[in-house]
Amino acid sequence: MTVRQLAHVAVDAPLTENLTYLQNDSCPVIRGDVVDVPLGKRTVKGIVISVSESEAAAEDDAYEIKTVKAIDIEWPALTDPFLKWLEWVSDYYIYPLGRTLQLCFPPLSRPKKIRQSNRPPVVPVLEKVKLHQLTEEQKFCLEAIKKTKGFATHLVHGVTGSGKTEIYLQLFEKTLSENKRGLFLLPEISLTPQLIHRFAERFGDQIAVLHSQLTDRERTTQWWEIAEGRKKILIGARSALFCPIKDLGLIVVDEEHESSFKQDEKLKYNGRDCAIMLGRFMNCPVILGSATPSLDTWKNAVEGKYHLHQLKSRVENRPLPVIEVIDMRLEKDLEKKSAEKPFWLSQKLYNEMKVSLQKKEQVALLLNRRGMAQMVFCPGCGFSIECPNCDISLTLHGNTHMVCHYCDYHENFKTKCPDCKQSDMIVMGLGTEKVEEDLRKLFPEAKIARADRDEVQSRLDMEELVQKMENQEIDILIGTQMIAKGLDFPHLKLVGLLLADVSFNLPDFRASEKSFQLMTQMSGRSGRHVGVDDLPGKVVIQTYNTSHESVSFAQAHDYEGFVQTECIHRKQLNYPPYHKLTALRIQSLELEKTRSTAYKLARRAQAIKEKFNAFDQVEVLGPAAAPIAKLRNQFRYHVLFKCPQPQLLNQFVRKVMGDNKWIPAQVKVLVDVDPLNLL
Ligand code: ADP
Ligand code: ZN
């Protein structure tokens, strides 16, 4: 009998178990080491999870264990708390550990030498500026946060413009003074040049930035700056969580309510929740900030799991904007009288726009829809143009082509119906392009710009747009939710929400919450810099449903009123934040296969419930075709599980999935823990 030294390694493969290798005598490995190991004929990267000894009988030698090839010295080994956090992520989201660990590496190999790039720097070089004199509310909040030691979760709930970012800046200041490092997470869309600018002004060249608008080379360089400790604060979108930061002392998650913290594919993690767990493993404070916290976070705060800090007024007592709600149903009759005005514009908003433009103040209009029109159909035969790959109608862009907003399918727009070949197609609906076109006719003198995914595609586009707004080279800005978040323009004093109904009519139990958040965030862009004696900023919300609760509470700036009402509905229906949800999404190219697998899955779930009393509390919903029943040629079904206890739900999902062998070939069953997107 010989004693063999073994290493258990998580590799980049869809495996639920780690693989076992023999230690390489010339370079013994320990937990956390990044190693090269053989897998089939390939060599893959893996991370050592544990090492052990085993006494091997001679006959075992017939079963050959391969040997670890080498320690990959290019990479820093992962620290134990960081690795424990990664194990938690993999376990909680039911996703292979080896695959999870791959997120810890930058896209390219390590830069050999710094190459000159002709792109502008990722972080601008700026003169340092002094701190603001804090308001009483800011001081109170800052002191309370500073008092806690080690891990604690804080919710900073402050109205838009109350100076939350200033609090974060001062907390990071403290972290650096203690020789520790910080992580600042934001939704991609809020990672604006303005925000990076504010950090660069305060912390000079100590910051690194990671977001999707960077090239692979830029990302890789920024990654190493942090991993090797040259930069002290990492600002990034959700994936920045996976960058190993030495001596992490503070995590801030701004706009914590944003659904874009959730990744929708592969590892379907929620960056905010993972950030809280990272703080726990690293034993450092986690700050969540928002003007409109998610219901989940709010519940944790009022139940005392998080420390709650509230900022009820804007800095320098600047007034909150005045919000007016316009019933678009009543405007229909007025429409005929005023032919000059497009159907989507109320008389009130039109008048306010004229006044603003005269005063040389800026106007921003929000419409959460791109393109010219959502629906193109034939009045003769009723034919409407849908995407051949998805169960979605195509959107008209620029009067020339039709685009699928889900898979990017394009086709030319033809006026004659392609089906009956008799009538001319009718165009219905509204998008940002159409609004822009109408505005140019309505205000020929005004400088008009549009900000949506068609117009603003890179960080350079966004930087240019921000600069133009700041220099008042734009009078009217029309945009999608891209303009609702994080931007701070001193001359912007009128905001119009053209069709508030877009978000609350979605088939999603969070539709009210999302639209309340969007309305509040967008309203918050108006009049951010008006003094206490000036006229407050204005907001006009246009809707066909004035009595919708998200509208009335947004109008009253009443966050708490909104959450209380919304929580009653959620509780009645056992929805989050009261019960946990996990969605199983079944997909394949064949409808029948998809459907039968969905039914099989639901039957398995019921059988497991019957067999084990422990799962009595789990509720099984479905199977049902997903609201978007076909996407990129894949048919989609889902089954939902609800349960008050997350751990029980995790066990249940694992039991239902079993060894995956019951799933037919070519069918995929994807697990989405705490799903945000149920379409
Ligand atoms: P929030 O993040 O809550 O929306 P910000 O931190 O962006 O608010 O603050 C809004 C504006 O007020 C910014 O222009 C910021 O520089 C400024 N500001 C922040 N704190 C103060 C303060 N104590 N006194 C004066 N101005 C402040
Ligand atoms: Zn499509």
Side-chain angles (χ1 to χ4, degrees):
M1 292 239 277
T2 49
V3 174
R4 297 191 299 186
Q5 305 294 326
L6 304 175
H8 308 281
V9 180
V11 298
D12 185 13
L15 302 168
T16 42
E17 306 281 322
N18 298 325
L19 296 180
T20 299
Y21 293 90
L22 280 178
Q23 283 270 23
N24 184 335
D25 290 339
S26 59
C27 62
V29 295
I30 57 169
R31 175 172 160 87
D33 280 342
V34 182
V35 291
D36 291 332
V37 289
L39 181 68
K41 289 198 171 72
R42 296 181 298 146
T43 295
V44 297
K45 197 156 53 185
I47 289 170
V48 180
I49 300 303
S50 62
V51 294
S52 66
E53 283 183 354
S54 87
E55 289 183 5
E59 62 265 25
D60 271 9
D61 288 345
Y63 160 65
E64 191 207 354
I65 302 184
K66 290 177 180 164
T67 306
V68 173
K69 280 201 162 160
I71 297 186
D72 205 331
I73 47 166
E74 182 184 359
W75 307 102
L78 302 181
T79 63
D80 189 56
F82 193 59
L83 196 47
K84 281 201 176 112
W85 171 74
L86 289 159
E87 287 171 310
W88 176 87
V89 172
S90 153
D91 181 65
Y92 184 81
Y93 292 101
I94 312 183
Y95 193 76
L97 181 59
R99 285 272 151 97
T100 306
L101 293 169
Q102 298 307 314
L103 294 169
C104 301
F105 302 101
L108 301 177
S109 66
R110 185 178 191 164
K112 298 260 162 8
K113 57 174 190 287
I114 307 287
R115 256 180 293 171
Q116 282 302 324
S117 155
N118 51 9
R119 282 166 61 89
V122 173
V123 178
V125 184
L126 298 167
E127 290 285 301
K128 276 206 175 192
V129 295
K130 277 215 268 338
L131 305 183
H132 278 294
Q133 182 73 33
L134 293 184
T135 64
E136 284 306 310
E137 281 188 328
Q138 283 173 318
K139 251 188 239 163
F140 196 75
C141 168
L142 190 67
E143 289 314 315
I145 294 174
K146 281 182 179 172
K147 264 192 212 122
T148 62
K149 298 264 174 302
F151 169 69
T153 309
H154 301 268
L155 170 61
V156 179
H157 172 221
V159 297
T160 54
S162 57
K164 296 184 289 297
T165 312
E166 187 62 35
I167 294 175
Y168 311 150
L169 288 164
Q170 302 212 8
L171 285 169
F172 281 116
E173 199 112 3
K174 172 172 179 271
T175 306
L176 298 203
S177 74
E178 290 166 350
N179 237 339
K180 292 194 175 154
R181 283 148 216 223
L183 172 62
F184 186 33
L185 286 187
L186 294 116
E188 190 72 51
I189 205 165
S190 310
L191 258 166
T192 59
Q194 285 184 319
L195 191 272
I196 295 169
H197 204 98
R198 275 175 85 179
F199 272 75
E201 270 177 353
R202 206 57 73 82
F203 299 107
D205 61 357
Q206 304 188 84
I207 61 178
V209 173
L210 280 177
H211 55 75
S212 68
Q213 299 291 332
L214 302 181
T215 62
D216 281 355
R217 180 49 64 207
E218 285 168 337
R219 286 180 72 79
T220 306
T221 307
Q222 296 290 311
W223 190 94
W224 279 105
E225 294 282 357
I226 286 289
E228 297 192 315
R230 282 185 295 279
K231 305 282 176 177
K232 307 219 163 112
I233 298 173
L234 175 59
I235 306 177
R238 58 175 189 244
S239 64
L241 273 169
F242 292 90
C243 182
I245 304 175
K246 281 187 196 159
D247 304 316
L248 187 59
L250 174 67
I251 305 173
V252 175
V253 184
D254 195 22
E255 312 287 4
E256 68 80 31
H257 61 277
E258 277 286 318
S259 51
S260 62
F261 278 118
K262 173 92 177 174
Q263 176 152 298
D264 232 5
E265 44 158 42
K266 296 184 179 152
L267 172 60
K268 298 179 188 61
Y269 68 102
N270 184 316
R272 177 204 56 212
D273 298 336
C274 290
I276 295 171
M277 288 310 285
L278 183 61
R280 172 170 282 190
F281 284 107
M282 297 293 183
N283 195 32
C284 74
V286 180
I287 319 295
L288 310 180
S290 174
T292 51
S294 66
L295 259 58
D296 311 77
T297 297
W298 183 253
K299 181 166 175 282
N300 283 328
V302 292
E303 287 178 354
K305 284 191 198 144
Y306 302 165
H307 302 258
L308 176 62
H309 314 275
Q310 289 186 295
L311 306 169
K312 304 219 171 192
S313 40
R314 283 184 163 178
V315 298
E316 297 176 329
N317 286 318
R318 295 171 190 169
L320 282 170
V322 174
I323 303 178
E324 225 173 308
V325 176
I326 301 297
D327 189 339
M328 291 303 278
R329 287 168 300 192
L330 306 179
E331 294 283 322
K332 264 202 148 29
D333 311 323
L334 297 172
E335 206 180 292
K336 290 169 199 101
K337 288 182 216 144
S338 119
E340 58 169 324
K341 187 171 68 60
F343 74 94
W344 50 264
L345 183 60
S346 64
Q347 194 60 48
K348 173 75 191 172
L349 182 53
Y350 185 33
N351 295 345
E352 291 289 354
M353 287 176 77
K354 285 192 274 197
V355 173
S356 292
L357 293 175
Q358 237 157 32
K359 288 203 274 184
K360 299 269 173 255
E361 290 173 357
Q362 287 170 317
V363 180
L365 303 179
L366 175 86
L367 177 64
N368 226 357
R369 273 183 180 167
R370 295 183 287 135
M372 291 293 283
Q374 281 72 50
M375 259 262 285
V376 176
F377 74 99
C378 170
C381 70
F383 179 79
S384 76
I385 301 186
E386 295 204 343
C387 176
N389 311 321
C390 309
D391 190 12
I392 289 285
S393 45
L394 296 180
T395 301
L396 180 65
H397 281 254
N399 293 324
T400 50
H401 56 286
M402 309 281 300
V403 182
C404 171
H405 283 182
Y406 284 83
C407 73
D408 219 28
Y409 168 86
H410 279 59
E411 67 178 44
N412 287 338
F413 172 60
K414 296 185 193 74
T415 343
K416 271 270 171 306
C417 173
D419 205 43
C420 69
K421 303 194 170 57
Q422 309 236 314
S423 310
D424 281 350
M425 299 299 276
I426 283 185
V427 170
M428 288 239 313
L430 183 64
T432 45
E433 268 184 45
K434 171 80 175 133
V435 172
E436 184 189 9
E437 188 184 88
D438 289 345
L439 284 174
R440 290 193 188 284
K441 285 183 212 143
L442 212 55
F443 300 105
E445 310 281 283
K447 288 166 281 184
I448 297 165
R450 176 160 58 87
D452 55 27
R453 251 194 298 136
D454 302 311
E455 279 296 296
V456 178
Q457 292 183 337
S458 72
R459 83 175 154 97
L460 305 185
D461 291 344
M462 193 65 188
E463 280 170 24
E464 193 186 316
L465 179 84
V466 167
Q467 212 156 55
K468 281 190 171 163
M469 278 298 280
E470 285 176 347
N471 300 340
Q472 288 186 280
E473 288 165 47
I474 295 172
D475 300 316
I476 308 175
L477 178 65
I478 161 80
T480 54
Q481 55 168 336
M482 188 178 268
I483 64 168
K485 323 275 166 89
L487 296 170
D488 189 7
F489 300 123
H491 304 286
L492 176 57
K493 297 203 182 138
L494 174 63
V495 159
L497 288 96
L498 299 185
L499 192 59
D501 315 52
V502 172
S503 46
F504 54 66
N505 285 337
L506 290 173
D508 176 349
F509 71 89
R510 287 194 184 84
S512 279
E513 183 182 2
K514 284 184 187 160
S515 47
F516 175 82
Q517 287 162 348
L518 184 60
M519 281 186 266
T520 306
Q521 298 288 342
M522 188 63 208
S523 304
R525 302 309 110 207
S526 178
R528 288 170 74 83
H529 290 249
V530 298
V532 65
D533 299 321
D534 297 333
L535 283 177
K538 282 191 181 157
V539 178
V540 176
I541 298 179
Q542 302 186 153
T543 173
Y544 288 92
N545 186 355
T546 47
S547 58
H548 196 275
E549 66 190 32
S550 66
V551 175
S552 38
F553 285 115
Q555 181 180 22
H557 302 287
D558 186 3
Y559 170 79
E560 287 183 39
F562 174 76
V563 287
Q564 275 161 17
T565 312
E566 184 63 16
C567 276
I568 295 170
H569 303 323
R570 299 284 183 89
K571 199 168 190 169
Q572 276 167 351
L573 297 168
N574 287 346
Y575 271 127
Y578 296 95
H579 281 212
K580 285 273 171 182
L581 215 56
T582 293
L584 284 103
R585 192 164 295 131
I586 304 100
Q587 294 178 189
S588 87
L589 293 170
E590 286 170 52
L591 175 60
E592 197 35 48
K593 258 194 186 154
T594 313
R595 210 184 64 91
S596 61
T597 309
Y599 276 88
K600 201 164 168 185
L601 189 149
R603 278 198 305 274
R604 282 177 69 91
Q606 293 299 355
I608 288 166
K609 263 174 70 72
E610 271 160 40
K611 195 161 159 206
F612 303 95
N613 292 339
F615 296 124
D616 277 352
Q617 295 184 64
V618 180
E619 222 182 307
V620 177
L621 298 164
I628 300 176
K630 187 180 157 208
L631 192 63
R632 295 185 191 90
N633 286 320
Q634 301 260 347
F635 291 92
R636 309 164 79 234
Y637 263 71
H638 58 206
V639 178
L640 285 178
F641 300 151
K642 278 189 208 166
C643 176
Q645 290 184 51
Q647 265 159 12
L648 197 68
L649 186 53
N650 183 294
Q651 284 167 17
F652 184 72
V653 174
R654 286 173 191 277
K655 272 225 157 30
V656 173
M657 291 299 283
D659 58 5
N660 294 345
K661 293 214 173 86
W662 59 274
I663 303 169
Q666 286 119 38
V667 180
K668 266 196 190 151
V669 179
L670 305 170
V671 176
D672 189 351
V673 177
D674 302 331
L676 289 183
N677 177 1
L678 295 172
L679 292 181

